[in-house]
Amino acid sequence: MHIRRAQSKDYYTVKSVINEWWGGRNMAGKLPKFLFDHFQETSFIMEVNGRMTGFLVGFLSQTRTEEAYIHFAGVHPDNRGEGVAEELYDAFFDFVLDENRRIIRAVTSPGNEASVAFHQAMGFNLLAGDKTENGVPVHTDYDGEGQDRILFEKKL
Protein backbone atom coordinates (compact mmCIF):
# COMPACT_ATOMS: atom_id res chain seq x y z
CA MET A 1 0.00 0.00 0.00
CA HIS A 2 1.16 3.49 -0.84
CA ILE A 3 -0.31 6.78 0.40
CA ARG A 4 0.33 9.96 -1.54
CA ARG A 5 -1.05 13.47 -1.62
CA ALA A 6 -4.08 14.03 -3.81
CA GLN A 7 -3.66 15.86 -7.12
CA SER A 8 -6.18 17.75 -9.23
CA LYS A 9 -6.36 14.88 -11.73
CA ASP A 10 -7.45 12.48 -8.95
CA TYR A 11 -10.85 14.17 -8.96
CA TYR A 12 -11.73 12.40 -12.21
CA THR A 13 -10.73 8.99 -10.86
CA VAL A 14 -12.69 9.48 -7.65
CA LYS A 15 -15.71 10.88 -9.49
CA SER A 16 -15.75 7.84 -11.81
CA VAL A 17 -16.04 5.36 -8.92
CA ILE A 18 -17.67 7.16 -6.00
CA ASN A 19 -21.30 6.31 -6.80
CA GLU A 20 -20.37 2.68 -7.39
CA TRP A 21 -18.42 2.53 -4.12
CA TRP A 22 -21.55 3.82 -2.35
CA GLY A 23 -23.78 1.12 -3.80
CA GLY A 24 -25.29 3.31 -6.52
CA ARG A 25 -26.12 6.28 -4.29
CA ASN A 26 -25.49 9.63 -5.97
CA MET A 27 -22.51 10.88 -3.98
CA ALA A 28 -20.45 12.61 -6.69
CA GLY A 29 -22.09 15.98 -6.04
CA LYS A 30 -20.80 15.99 -2.47
CA LEU A 31 -17.21 16.05 -3.68
CA PRO A 32 -16.58 19.02 -6.04
CA LYS A 33 -13.34 19.41 -7.99
CA PHE A 34 -12.18 22.53 -6.14
CA LEU A 35 -11.38 20.30 -3.15
CA PHE A 36 -8.80 18.45 -5.27
CA ASP A 37 -7.41 21.74 -6.58
CA HIS A 38 -7.11 23.62 -3.29
CA PHE A 39 -6.63 21.03 -0.53
CA GLN A 40 -3.92 18.76 -1.90
CA GLU A 41 -1.71 19.04 1.19
CA THR A 42 -4.50 17.68 3.38
CA SER A 43 -6.03 15.13 1.02
CA PHE A 44 -4.67 11.66 0.38
CA ILE A 45 -4.93 8.77 -2.06
CA MET A 46 -4.16 5.15 -1.13
CA GLU A 47 -2.91 2.97 -3.98
CA VAL A 48 -2.00 -0.67 -4.32
CA ASN A 49 -0.11 -1.58 -7.50
CA GLY A 50 -1.18 1.74 -9.05
CA ARG A 51 -4.89 1.15 -8.34
CA MET A 52 -6.75 3.57 -6.06
CA THR A 53 -8.10 1.68 -3.06
CA GLY A 54 -9.11 4.69 -0.99
CA PHE A 55 -9.10 8.47 -0.62
CA LEU A 56 -9.52 11.11 2.04
CA VAL A 57 -10.33 14.77 1.43
CA GLY A 58 -9.70 17.07 4.37
CA PHE A 59 -8.63 20.60 5.17
CA LEU A 60 -7.40 22.91 7.89
CA SER A 61 -10.06 25.24 9.25
CA GLN A 62 -9.48 28.84 8.27
CA THR A 63 -11.75 30.08 11.06
CA ARG A 64 -10.87 27.77 13.93
CA THR A 65 -7.09 27.67 13.91
CA GLU A 66 -6.86 24.68 16.25
CA GLU A 67 -9.15 22.52 14.08
CA ALA A 68 -9.08 20.42 10.93
CA TYR A 69 -11.94 18.76 9.09
CA ILE A 70 -12.32 15.49 7.23
CA HIS A 71 -14.84 16.19 4.49
CA PHE A 72 -15.01 12.83 2.73
CA ALA A 73 -13.26 9.47 2.78
CA GLY A 74 -13.93 6.34 0.80
CA VAL A 75 -12.56 2.83 0.39
CA HIS A 76 -13.03 0.50 -2.56
CA PRO A 77 -15.58 -2.17 -1.52
CA ASP A 78 -13.04 -4.94 -2.22
CA ASN A 79 -10.59 -3.36 0.22
CA ARG A 80 -12.85 -2.65 3.17
CA GLY A 81 -11.66 -4.19 6.39
CA GLU A 82 -8.01 -4.07 5.30
CA GLY A 83 -7.05 -0.94 7.26
CA VAL A 84 -7.15 1.44 4.28
CA ALA A 85 -9.36 4.03 5.98
CA GLU A 86 -7.38 3.82 9.21
CA GLU A 87 -4.12 4.51 7.35
CA LEU A 88 -5.65 7.43 5.47
CA TYR A 89 -6.99 8.93 8.70
CA ASP A 90 -3.61 8.42 10.39
CA ALA A 91 -1.86 10.22 7.51
CA PHE A 92 -4.27 13.13 7.96
CA PHE A 93 -3.77 13.13 11.75
CA ASP A 94 0.02 13.20 11.34
CA PHE A 95 -0.17 16.14 8.94
CA VAL A 96 -2.53 18.22 11.06
CA LEU A 97 -0.48 17.58 14.21
CA ASP A 98 2.54 18.98 12.36
CA GLU A 99 0.37 22.05 11.68
CA ASN A 100 -0.43 22.35 15.42
CA ARG A 101 -4.05 21.35 14.99
CA ARG A 102 -5.44 19.30 17.85
CA ILE A 103 -9.16 18.95 17.05
CA ILE A 104 -10.49 16.96 14.10
CA ARG A 105 -14.12 17.20 13.04
CA ALA A 106 -16.17 15.06 10.66
CA VAL A 107 -19.84 14.45 9.84
CA THR A 108 -21.95 11.63 8.46
CA SER A 109 -25.59 11.04 7.65
CA PRO A 110 -28.05 9.42 10.04
CA GLY A 111 -28.43 5.75 9.25
CA ASN A 112 -24.79 5.33 8.23
CA GLU A 113 -24.03 2.90 11.03
CA ALA A 114 -20.75 1.80 9.45
CA SER A 115 -19.44 5.37 9.47
CA VAL A 116 -20.54 5.92 13.07
CA ALA A 117 -18.85 2.69 14.19
CA PHE A 118 -15.67 3.50 12.24
CA HIS A 119 -15.36 7.02 13.68
CA GLN A 120 -15.96 5.78 17.20
CA ALA A 121 -13.33 3.05 16.72
CA MET A 122 -10.91 5.79 15.56
CA GLY A 123 -11.48 7.69 18.81
CA PHE A 124 -14.03 10.25 17.66
CA ASN A 125 -16.76 11.36 20.05
CA LEU A 126 -20.34 11.97 18.96
CA LEU A 127 -21.39 15.57 19.57
CA ALA A 128 -24.75 16.16 21.22
CA GLY A 129 -27.53 17.03 18.78
CA ASP A 130 -31.06 18.32 19.06
CA LYS A 131 -32.59 14.87 18.64
CA THR A 132 -31.64 11.19 18.74
CA GLU A 133 -32.13 8.52 16.09
CA ASN A 134 -31.35 4.88 16.87
CA GLY A 135 -29.48 6.01 19.97
CA VAL A 136 -27.26 8.43 18.04
CA PRO A 137 -27.33 12.24 18.46
CA VAL A 138 -28.44 14.03 15.30
CA HIS A 139 -28.27 17.70 14.27
CA THR A 140 -31.49 18.57 12.43
CA ASP A 141 -31.10 20.41 9.10
CA TYR A 142 -27.33 20.77 9.66
CA ASP A 143 -26.62 20.90 5.91
CA GLY A 144 -29.93 22.52 4.96
CA GLU A 145 -33.57 21.56 5.15
CA GLY A 146 -33.95 17.80 5.47
CA GLN A 147 -30.16 17.32 5.61
CA ASP A 148 -29.66 16.02 9.14
CA ARG A 149 -26.13 15.05 10.19
CA ILE A 150 -24.19 13.30 12.92
CA LEU A 151 -21.19 15.32 14.10
CA PHE A 152 -17.89 13.89 15.35
CA GLU A 153 -14.93 15.36 17.17
CA LYS A 154 -11.53 13.89 17.99
CA LYS A 155 -8.91 15.56 20.16
CA LEU A 156 -5.35 14.62 19.28
Side-chain angles (χ1 to χ4, degrees), residues 91-112:
F92 184 77
F93 297 159
D94 289 344
F95 180 82
V96 300
L97 277 171
D98 287 346
E99 297 294 316
N100 296 314
R101 306 296 175 115
R102 299 291 182 261
I103 299 171
I104 311 298
R105 297 195 182 273
V107 303
T108 196
S109 298
N112 192 341

Side-chain angles (χ1 to χ4, degrees), residues 3 15-17 23 28 35 42 46 53 66-68 70 76 83 86 89 105 110-112 116 121 141 143 151 156:
I3 295 179
K15 185 177 179 183
S16 73
V17 299
L35 295 169
T42 52
M46 170 78 76
T53 58
E66 71 283 359
E67 296 183 15
I70 296 173
H76 189 291
E86 290 87 346
Y89 271 60
R105 297 195 182 273
N112 192 341
V116 172
D141 297 333
D143 276 336
L151 278 60
L156 301 175

Side-chain angles (χ1 to χ4, degrees), residues 10 25 32 42 72 83-84 86 117 121:
D10 291 316
R25 288 176 50 207
T42 52
F72 215 110
V84 172
E86 290 87 346

Side-chain angles (χ1 to χ4, degrees), residues 39-59:
F39 298 103
Q40 295 175 4
E41 288 295 308
T42 52
S43 299
F44 301 91
I45 303 292
M46 170 78 76
E47 295 176 326
V48 175
N49 299 322
R51 180 180 71 89
M52 183 180 67
T53 58
F55 68 90
L56 181 148
V57 175
F59 55 85

